[in-house]
Amino acid sequence: MNRNMTLAAVVAVGLVLCIAPGLFAQDSSDMCIECHRALDSEPLSRQVEQFEVDIHAAAGFGCVDCHGGDASIAGPGGMDPALGFLGAPGGEEIIAVCGRCHSDAEFMRQFNPSLRVDQEAEYWTSRHGQRLAAAGDTAVATCADCHAPHGIRPASDPKSTVYPPNVASTCGRCHDDSARMGTYDIPVDQNEKYARSVHHEALVEGGDISAPTCNDCHGNHGAAPPGISWVGNVCGQCHAVMADQYEQSRHAQTFVEMGMPGCATCHSNHEILEAGDSLLGLGDGAVCAACHTEGDPGGSAAMAMRAGIDSLTVEIDEATAVLHEAEQAGMEVSAAQADMKDSNSALVMGRAAMHSFSPDAVTEALAPGREIAGASLEKGQSALQDLRVRRMGLIASVAIILVLILALVLKIRQIGSGPADSPGRA
Amino acid sequence: MENHESRLSAIWNWLDQRIGLAPAISLARKKEVPVHKHSIWYYMGGMTLFLYLVQIGTGILLLIYYRPSAEEAYESVQFLMTDVKFGWLVRSIHHWAANLMIFMAFVHLVSVLFMKAYRPPRELTWFSGVILLALALAFGFTGYLLPWNELAFFATRVGTEIVGVFPFVGDFALKIARGGTDVTGATLTRFYGVHVAILPAIGFFFLGLHLLLVQKLGMSVPPSIENSGSPKRAMKFVPDFFLRDAIGWLVAVALLVTLAAFLPAHLGVKADPFAAAPAGIKPEWYFMFMFHQLKLLPAHILGIEGELVGVMAFALGGVFLFLVPFLDRNAARGKPSPLFTWIGIAILAYILIMTWLGYTADPMG
């Protein structure tokens, strides 16, 4: 009996071991993938390949989590609307499908606790969302237009469509298209202008992925970045000192009254070039000259601020050149050279202070730099003077040494004991 | 005048009665230097000694301002170079005299090697001389770090790494050399102690021995001169040789002040242990041949780490050089020993070529 029971147990275990892998395979197989992979239709089969690298696939999600239906049923039977099959969702449906998980903080916490869950709510505040909701315009961008459906990668992945250096081309897929934008009366040169900007240079050529691209000013899901009421205020997110100075200046109010776009009035919006000192004042390339003339107080203030900045620039250049000359001559001037960094910092602060449009504030910000540059110039000149004194001292020392050598030679001759004429002194 | 002379004479007698000046004067008067076509090389030792005295003088002056800690060393040297009257001159002379002293010590050793002056009974003079050269190199290595600038910091890191290649004791020796696992303020403090106290103490002992032996045994005459049967000539050490020596020393002083005025010792950037090593780290010129040779060695030689093989070879080279008086049996018997002349020429050529390659080879190569 015991023997029979043992045999039965072995057979039962054997059967379980043989059948279990089959059962497991049955459970884990996704018929959507099986069938779509075999399809001749290239877009439908390509989605399967794309999904292999999708962040959702990596997290264990499958086709039915977005599209509905039943993945265990092969063929069209699994795509029965009665089973919740949505097909390819479009328009508001996409927002709802993505938002089902991405707006659920409890659910998202399991996968990425730091990911925001307000994308859907933000989206409805954006121009894209507003047109979709109000006008039922399905040509506007939804989640899938920016996030490459079936091949979604995290924004930190350089292959992602929303990786910072790729964002401009992702937006440009629609915004560079004049036929598409023509219906909205939106220009299509933003990307071209952005490509010439200092921000593009920092992001793409400099590799600084914190440099701004489209979404940093325009918001990625919402109409503007979180906490920013108007796109014109967005510059202050990074350029905080300048924005603060500007906010307290009379221009802030005046520009609003005149309907001028804050920072962009002087710096442009997409084509933001490197802001040089030439923007300030009334000369060539000066933006102040667009509204001010030499006779008005604004024009005088602009010229005074420019003169202060130019003076310190010249003083820094002069001190740097003298210190460099002294250093090249071997003089120790590294302390003065280190001080010059503070002088350069003061110049930067002076340039920032001009956003207050107050000559007094600029003069005050530049003052420490002028003091340091002056002291450093003196140290450099003193080092060069010291060098001349050293050379004179050297000539005098060598002359004295030569006299001593001459005296020794004469002494040697006087005692007449040179080796040549003193044989056998031993 | 007469009164003045009698006063000096009284002082002289007073001292003579107490410390015995007369024998010393008599010895100095008796000392002679052989005169022949190679006599010029007799001045090299005196020149090295003079430069060593310059180092002691300028070193003591530097001590007044130098502060041996990672936080203050660089700043104290910077202060010395910019704000202390003639601080630049003292440091620059210390820098250049160090280089000239090591150069003259090399020249002195090579001249002694080629003139076979290590023959009996001068073996101990040779031993103490080789030890003094090693001490001069140690002075150079420890002194290089003291300004605590970037170049010195990384060169010392590379230099001390060599200690760590020895099996079994390497790690321990490295920690002893650095005062920890890496070059830090602790390394600076111990290098300072070694540079200003330990090396001078050892140096004075061997220098005293070396000079005593030179005094006792007199100058060696090269075998070629000895065997040529030419008439032996000599000059008095005092004043004849001494006055000529003094001319050489004055020329050295002129050279030192000229170098100090035109090429003052650089300070560079303060060492930052967390910064990346700058490109083209090079040791002082007198270590360049070893540094470049170690760079050229393959990673492994016969299954042993290449660097270890190189370091061991240099150590054996040092031992060989030290033992030359015992190894050169022909010279000891007064016979010609061309083999050792050729070995000397080969070593000299090797050092010169490796040094030259070290300065000209592509740093990325």
Side-chain angles (χ1 to χ4, degrees):
Chain A
M1 180 65 186
N2 273 349
R3 183 180 279 183
N4 286 344
M5 279 183 72
T6 308
L7 190 64
V10 168
V11 170
V13 170
L15 278 170
V16 167
L17 286 175
C18 290
I19 294 166
L23 287 174
F24 184 74
Q26 184 69 24
D27 280 349
S28 66
S29 71
D30 188 324
M31 296 315 294
C32 315
I33 288 175
E34 296 299 319
C35 296
H36 274 260
R37 185 176 278 141
L39 284 174
D40 279 342
S41 168
E42 207 261 331
L44 292 174
S45 59
R46 196 178 60 216
Q47 290 161 356
V48 175
E49 272 174 43
Q50 288 173 331
F51 193 62
E52 285 171 7
V53 296
D54 194 295
I55 190 171
H56 298 100
F61 293 96
C63 311
V64 296
D65 293 303
C66 295
H67 293 282
D70 189 342
S72 64
I73 303 169
M79 300 191 292
D80 187 344
L83 294 171
F85 182 69
L86 292 174
E92 290 189 45
E93 239 174 3
I94 289 187
I95 312 298
V97 165
C98 299
R100 205 170 60 219
C101 299
H102 281 273
S103 298
D104 184 344
E106 282 293 310
F107 184 77
M108 289 307 296
R109 193 184 296 158
Q110 305 169 69
F111 304 97
N112 185 353
S114 63
L115 198 68
R116 298 174 67 100
V117 287
D118 60 353
Q119 297 97 328
E120 187 184 0
E122 284 276 313
Y123 176 77
W124 293 121
T125 70
S126 73
R127 285 295 287 163
H128 295 142
Q130 284 168 357
R131 280 204 63 81
L132 179 63
D137 182 358
T138 54
V140 297
T142 62
C143 313
D145 291 297
C146 301
H147 289 286
H150 304 110
I152 298 176
R153 295 167 186 263
S156 57
D157 185 334
K159 286 184 175 173
S160 166
T161 51
V162 291
Y163 181 65
N166 302 335
V167 166
S169 58
T170 297
C171 298
R173 280 213 310 268
C174 299
H175 283 273
D176 290 350
D177 183 348
S178 52
R180 191 164 186 154
M181 290 298 118
T183 54
Y184 304 105
D185 200 20
I186 294 177
V188 289
D189 59 354
Q190 299 96 325
N191 224 343
E192 191 186 325
K193 285 179 171 174
Y194 173 71
R196 289 194 291 266
S197 77
V198 68
H199 292 141
H200 178 272
E201 187 183 331
L203 179 67
V204 178
E205 291 168 34
D208 177 3
I209 60 164
S210 68
T213 181
C214 314
N215 63 308
D216 291 291
C217 298
H218 294 283
N220 38 12
H221 300 105
I228 302 296
S229 58
W230 172 51
V231 70
N233 292 341
V234 87
C235 312
Q237 283 195 121
C238 299
H239 302 280
V241 175
M242 284 83 146
D244 191 44
Q245 304 267 9
Y246 172 77
E247 281 300 322
Q248 291 167 32
S249 77
R250 60 182 297 177
H251 276 84
Q253 184 60 32
T254 310
F255 281 3
V256 169
E257 286 166 7
M258 294 173 74
M260 294 166 95
C263 311
T265 309
C266 302
H267 292 283
S268 174
N269 49 4
H270 297 109
E271 193 175 4
I272 299 172
L273 303 179
E274 191 171 345
D277 293 335
S278 60
L279 288 180
L280 179 63
L282 298 174
D284 288 342
V287 290
C288 313
C291 302
H292 295 285
T293 58
E294 209 168 320
D296 70 59
S300 302
M303 285 167 65
M305 291 188 290
R306 172 73 185 272
I309 289 171
D310 283 351
S311 294
L312 180 54
T313 308
V314 169
E315 285 160 22
I316 287 174
D317 288 348
E318 196 180 354
T320 306
V322 169
L323 289 173
H324 180 70
E325 188 186 344
E327 186 198 18
Q328 289 298 306
M331 303 302 287
E332 173 49 44
V333 287
S334 60
Q337 284 174 320
D339 288 345
M340 286 305 292
K341 287 178 187 163
D342 292 335
S343 191
N344 278 306
S345 298
L347 181 62
V348 171
M349 292 309 289
R351 284 170 174 153
M354 65 83 18
H355 293 89
S356 68
F357 305 100
S358 157
D360 288 344
V362 173
T363 304
E364 194 184 329
L366 296 174
R370 299 190 72 160
E371 197 179 316
I372 294 165
S376 297
L377 179 66
E378 263 180 38
K379 283 180 187 168
Q381 286 169 335
S382 162
L384 289 176
Q385 175 61 22
D386 204 15
L387 187 70
R388 284 188 282 274
V389 171
R390 287 183 190 186
R391 304 253 160 105
M392 290 306 292
L394 171 69
I395 292 169
S397 312
V398 171
I400 292 168
I401 290 168
L402 286 175
V403 169
L404 286 173
I405 289 173
L406 191 66
L408 284 176
V409 170
L410 291 174
K411 179 71 182 171
I412 289 167
R413 283 194 180 172
Q414 186 199 354
I415 57 179
S417 56
D421 54 12
S422 62
R425 279 176 65 109
Chain B
M1 187 71 184
E2 205 171 291
N3 193 24
H4 179 67
E5 274 182 11
S6 68
R7 225 180 257 171
L8 277 179
S9 174
I11 294 170
W12 176 267
N13 289 333
W14 190 88
L15 287 171
D16 189 25
Q17 283 161 13
R18 279 153 186 84
I19 52 175
L21 288 175
I25 296 298
S26 157
L27 193 71
R29 283 195 179 139
K30 265 168 66 183
K31 184 174 169 62
E32 289 181 336
V33 178
V35 176
H36 50 78
K37 62 180 180 179
H38 299 307
S39 289
I40 184 79
W41 301 108
Y42 292 142
Y43 295 96
M44 302 304 142
M47 181 64 85
T48 312
L49 175 64
F50 172 72
L51 291 166
Y52 184 59
L53 295 175
V54 169
Q55 286 304 87
I56 293 170
T58 51
I60 288 170
L61 290 176
L62 291 175
L63 278 180
I64 295 169
Y65 284 96
Y66 181 71
R67 297 179 185 183
S69 75
E71 291 74 31
E72 292 185 299
Y74 179 87
E75 285 75 8
S76 68
V77 177
Q78 194 173 44
F79 179 74
L80 180 89
M81 292 293 283
T82 51
D83 294 324
V84 178
K85 285 274 178 216
F86 298 108
W88 65 274
L89 183 64
V90 173
R91 178 166 176 253
S92 299
I93 288 181
H94 194 74
H95 168 82
W96 282 113
N99 284 284
L100 283 181
M101 181 185 81
I102 289 174
F103 178 73
M104 290 315 300
F106 269 120
V107 172
H108 182 42
L109 179 130
V110 170
S111 67
V112 167
L113 185 72
F114 286 140
M115 294 203 297
K116 320 278 182 196
Y118 48 77
R119 289 168 297 143
R122 295 185 177 79
E123 298 96 324
L124 286 176
T125 321
W126 171 266
F127 294 154
S128 56
V130 173
I131 290 169
L132 282 170
L133 176 68
L135 288 173
L137 296 176
F139 264 119
F141 186 69
T142 51
Y144 193 50
L145 178 68
L146 300 187
W148 199 244
N149 57 26
E150 191 181 50
L151 201 62
F153 176 84
F154 287 104
T156 304
R157 192 183 260 177
V158 174
T160 47
E161 261 167 22
I162 290 169
V163 179
V165 303
F166 290 99
F168 310 117
V169 294
D171 280 349
F172 179 71
L174 184 70
K175 277 184 192 162
I176 294 286
R178 288 179 172 177
T181 50
D182 201 358
V183 176
T184 60
T187 322
L188 177 70
T189 315
R190 67 181 50 205
F191 271 40
Y192 170 76
V194 171
H195 190 79
V196 306
I198 298 172
L199 289 176
I202 303 171
F204 275 123
F205 173 76
F206 284 103
L207 184 61
L209 178 67
H210 197 72
L211 294 177
L212 186 74
L213 290 167
V214 170
Q215 184 61 42
K216 184 174 163 52
L217 301 171
M219 303 294 204
S220 160
V221 177
S224 59
I225 303 292
E226 244 177 16
N227 300 337
S228 66
S230 58
K232 284 183 182 172
R233 295 189 300 158
M235 69 163 91
K236 289 282 183 193
F237 184 82
V238 180
D240 302 345
F241 188 84
F242 182 76
L243 287 176
R244 287 169 174 78
D245 244 351
I247 291 176
W249 299 348
L250 284 171
V251 170
V253 171
L255 183 62
L256 286 173
V257 292
T258 306
L259 286 168
F262 283 95
L263 298 166
H266 268 265
L267 183 55
V269 182
K270 186 177 178 177
D272 178 2
F274 301 109
I281 291 277
K282 283 195 168 93
E284 290 276 60
W285 60 268
Y286 38 85
F287 292 123
M288 181 53 93
F289 73 98
M290 290 190 268
F291 177 75
H292 192 66
Q293 176 63 77
L294 292 178
K295 260 178 38 175
L296 292 181
L297 290 176
H300 287 93
I301 299 168
L302 302 172
I304 307 169
E305 202 178 326
E307 211 169 38
L308 177 62
V309 173
V311 172
M312 294 302 288
F314 283 123
L316 284 175
V319 171
F320 173 81
L321 190 69
F322 190 77
L323 294 177
V324 158
F326 291 156
L327 299 172
D328 189 0
R329 301 311 304 161
N330 279 343
R333 290 191 206 103
K335 292 180 186 169
S337 63
L339 175 66
F340 277 79
T341 303
W342 283 111
I343 290 174
I345 290 170
I347 292 173
L348 193 60
Y350 165 77
I351 290 174
L352 290 175
I353 290 169
M354 273 297 158
T355 306
W356 181 73
L357 286 176
Y359 281 103
T360 53
D362 178 9
M364 304 306 287

